[in-house]
Amino acid sequence: MKKVFFLAFMALSLTAMAQHVTPLNIQLAEADLNALRAQYQSEPIMYRAALEALAKDLDKNAGELKAARNQLKVEQAHAKEMENSLKEANKMASSLKGLYAKEESEIKSMQQTVQKQQQTLSKQVELNAETRENYIAFLEKQQKELNYSLREVADRQRAVSDLEASISTSQSNLQYYLQEVNQKNADLTALESQHKDRVALVKAEQKAAKSMQ
């Protein structure tokens, strides 16, 4: 049981800490074709070279965007994994909470039984001293063991309460992480769309520039 708690707390300690996605740090190459045309209006060869350089920059951007998308997929999978882990931890905590409550009730019931036996013994004055003393010692030992068991259950119940608190904190942190993942996805999708438009624009301009003298 201690091992189960240890593993649960280890897993939740990671989740409970604030986690963040890796921020996007991609600067798309500017495709200001009007400025390029103005700069190289009488130099078609230089203009085509400038377009080629711009195409290479956009190609580099394509690699950066692909890497960012792959990273985001890992972050999305991590968020899903954390979500599943918290669900399992929550189920475990709920199950243990019910189990320990039942165990506590059974121990208290046994304590009452022992107390009744002790009360009955106190009235049985006809028993000889040796019999009484042996039975008293037996009942006292039972009561001692039951008290120990009750304290142990109380410790485990407190551990479950701590676990539930940790789960609650982790669930809040997970929501923030999911918000970051969703925002990153939206930002990356916008960058990918801009990149696609710029690549198409430059390719069309390169095709047109081939006919320039």
Side-chain angles (χ1 to χ4, degrees):
M1 188 58 66
K2 288 183 178 179
K3 185 177 181 182
V4 172
F5 270 113
F6 176 74
L7 293 175
F9 276 121
M10 282 293 290
L12 285 169
S13 65
L14 294 174
T15 318
M17 292 186 293
Q19 300 183 55
H20 302 282
V21 300
T22 301
L24 289 172
N25 189 25
I26 300 173
Q27 186 67 43
L28 293 183
E30 291 293 339
D32 190 350
L33 300 186
N34 289 330
L36 284 179
R37 290 192 200 99
Q39 184 176 356
Y40 300 110
Q41 58 182 339
S42 59
E43 300 176 89
I45 295 177
M46 292 297 293
Y47 182 53
R48 287 194 289 269
L51 289 174
E52 181 63 25
L54 179 55
K56 287 182 179 180
D57 287 340
L58 287 170
D59 189 54
K60 180 183 176 183
N61 286 153
E64 293 171 335
L65 289 169
K66 183 179 180 180
R69 177 58 67 181
N70 288 336
Q71 184 182 61
L72 178 60
K73 287 179 180 179
V74 173
E75 290 168 335
Q76 289 170 326
H78 177 59
K80 188 67 177 177
E81 186 178 343
M82 286 196 295
E83 191 173 20
N84 290 335
S85 294
L86 284 173
K87 284 181 181 178
E88 289 302 314
N90 208 20
K91 284 168 59 177
M92 184 190 75
S94 178
S95 176
L96 290 176
K97 191 174 184 178
L99 179 66
Y100 296 156
K102 182 180 178 181
E103 187 176 354
E104 179 187 32
S105 177
E106 290 175 350
I107 292 172
K108 287 182 176 179
S109 177
M110 292 172 68
Q111 282 182 320
Q112 290 176 354
T113 299
V114 173
Q115 287 171 358
K116 288 179 181 178
Q117 291 172 335
Q118 288 173 323
Q119 291 171 0
T120 299
L121 179 61
S122 67
K123 298 174 184 177
Q124 294 173 330
V125 295
E126 294 81 7
L127 294 175
N128 61 51
E130 183 181 2
T131 300
R132 285 173 57 81
E133 288 172 4
N134 286 338
Y135 197 43
I136 287 173
F138 171 72
L139 292 177
E140 286 179 347
K141 184 178 181 181
Q142 272 195 309
Q143 198 68 277
K144 182 180 179 180
E145 290 297 327
L146 289 171
N147 287 337
Y148 174 78
S149 296
L150 196 60
R151 288 195 298 272
E152 190 179 51
V153 170
D155 288 340
R156 280 184 268 144
Q157 287 175 321
R158 282 191 292 272
V160 170
S161 296
D162 291 341
L163 184 59
E164 288 178 322
S166 182
I167 290 171
S168 179
T169 299
S170 298
Q171 287 173 329
S172 297
N173 287 338
L174 176 58
Q175 290 308 307
Y176 289 120
Y177 186 76
L178 284 170
Q179 288 175 11
E180 289 188 10
V181 168
N182 292 334
Q183 185 60 54
K184 181 175 180 177
N185 181 53
D187 293 343
L188 181 55
T189 299
L191 280 174
E192 289 169 334
S193 179
Q194 292 174 24
H195 178 263
K196 184 179 178 180
D197 291 342
R198 292 182 187 184
V199 168
L201 190 65
V202 171
K203 283 185 177 180
E205 187 67 16
Q206 282 181 306
K207 185 176 180 180
K210 288 181 180 178
S211 61
M212 294 175 61
Q213 299 298 323

